[in-house]
Each structure stands twice: as C-alpha cells, then as structure tokens.
Amino acid sequence: MSTEDFTRQLGELMDREAIRECMFRYCRGIDRQDEEALRSAYWPDATDRHGPYQGSATGFIDWAVKKLAADGERSVHSISNMSITLAGAQAAVETYFMALQRDRDPEGVSREVFLAGRYVDRFEKRDNEWRIAARTVVYDWLRHMGTPEGTEAERFGIRMPVGSLKRSDDPVYALLASLGS
C-alpha cells in the first residue's frame, strides 16, 4: 500500500469515527437534556424533520428541551447499524435507533413508548469538524406501552444511582468533570 493510499484510508477512518462520536453526543444530549451536547451535534443552519417537528435544528432543540423539561421522565436512545457513505466534505449517514421514553400525558399520568427507526442524516465537514446538516427521522416501529407497572423500587429494589434527565444530576457528568472535560 502506498503512503498516499494509507493516508487517505486513515483520513476516512478518522472521518467515520468523528461522525460516530457526533451521533453519540446527540444521544447523550437528548437523553440527559444536555442542550450544549445537542447543539454541538448540528450545524447552526441545519434542518431537522423529527416526528411532529419540521424546521431548523435550532428550533427542534428548543422545542425538544422545553417538551422534555415539562413532560419527560426518562429517555434512553441506543444506536446501531450505522452506514456512512463519505463524499468529500459531505456524508450520507443512516443510523438505526431504538428509544424507550417515559413521559406524562396532559393529565400528568406516566406513559411509556418504544420507538425504533432510523436517522437519515446528511453530515457536513466544516473546519475539520463533522456535524449534522440535515436530518430526517424515519419511524419504522412505534409502540405505546401504556402506563408503567409499579415503581422501579417494586420491580428491582432500591438501585442507585438512577440516571437523570438533567445534566447536573447524571453520574456521567461528574465523571467528565473529574477528568477536566
């Protein structure tokens, strides 16, 4: 393999890893209501078609953070099966996701929803950084699971620590702070 081929392949691997890290930041941001992480996953001029929301990514983040703060109780997003097609400073990225969400209905009753689908994203590399430029969320599976049965303590006994929707209360941020991140 020539030095030129090796350098090109190494650059492509680094680009793919930067895209994966951006997707992981998005998941942490949405699950922990970490507005900074969410904003860092999108370019300021990005668009998002996300369920009932369609418009700017900035508007989506504003809408989601407000909605989660008002109604959200728990959220876990897991991503897999990521296909990345690089095309210069752009990439077509399809990422499968599964999400479990617990929120409250308008009457304040807890409800749970299982979602599975795909993030269909156009990423752009600007100033050597990859972020989402345009997102369409494709919902392949949606199941309303109703109200949760019992409390977590009844199902599992007291387990600590419990993940938090709030950045300030979740253990991963204490770990990051201890590393100076």
Side-chain angles (χ1 to χ4, degrees):
M1 175 184 305
S2 71
T3 302
E4 184 178 296
D5 286 341
F6 177 79
T7 301
R8 181 186 49 77
Q9 287 181 356
L10 182 60
E12 287 178 5
L13 286 171
M14 292 173 65
D15 288 341
R16 291 173 187 280
E17 185 59 22
I19 290 168
R20 274 190 282 280
E21 283 296 322
C22 182
M23 291 298 297
F24 295 147
R25 255 190 344 268
Y26 168 81
C27 289
R28 176 183 284 161
I30 201 71
D31 288 340
R32 302 283 76 82
Q33 296 180 25
D34 182 343
E35 190 173 340
E36 182 181 338
L38 282 173
R39 292 194 191 284
S40 76
Y42 292 91
W43 289 113
D45 60 343
T47 60
D48 198 322
R49 183 174 179 195
H50 211 119
Y53 179 85
Q54 185 168 348
S56 70
T58 299
F60 165 72
I61 294 166
D62 294 342
W63 173 78
V65 167
K66 181 179 177 184
K67 178 125 179 76
L68 290 170
D71 301 326
E73 291 183 3
R74 254 191 223 303
S75 176
V76 176
H77 286 70
S78 179
I79 58 175
S80 64
N81 299 10
M82 189 178 297
S83 174
I84 301 170
T85 303
L86 297 170
Q90 294 190 23
V93 181
E94 178 188 45
T95 307
Y96 283 66
F97 73 86
M98 287 190 284
L100 292 171
Q101 297 175 329
R102 183 185 304 163
D103 64 5
R104 292 179 295 282
D105 69 15
E107 288 78 41
V109 176
S110 288
R111 61 185 176 187
E112 293 180 338
V113 177
F114 169 77
L115 303 160
R118 292 167 287 133
Y119 298 118
V120 177
D121 297 324
R122 179 172 48 82
F123 271 73
E124 290 182 2
K125 185 177 186 178
R126 303 177 189 172
D127 296 324
N128 211 32
E129 181 180 4
W130 286 97
R131 293 188 191 189
I132 301 163
R135 165 168 282 178
T136 298
V137 181
V138 178
Y139 295 92
D140 294 315
W141 195 290
L142 173 74
R143 180 169 183 214
H144 292 273
M145 298 167 53
T147 58
E149 296 179 24
T151 66
E152 289 184 29
E154 289 171 342
R155 291 194 310 251
F156 303 117
I158 302 295
R159 307 269 175 124
M160 297 301 279
V162 175
S164 174
L165 284 176
K166 301 291 184 197
R167 175 183 175 137
S168 59
D169 298 332
D170 195 80
V172 73
Y173 292 98
L175 172 62
L176 292 170
S178 75
L179 298 176
S181 298

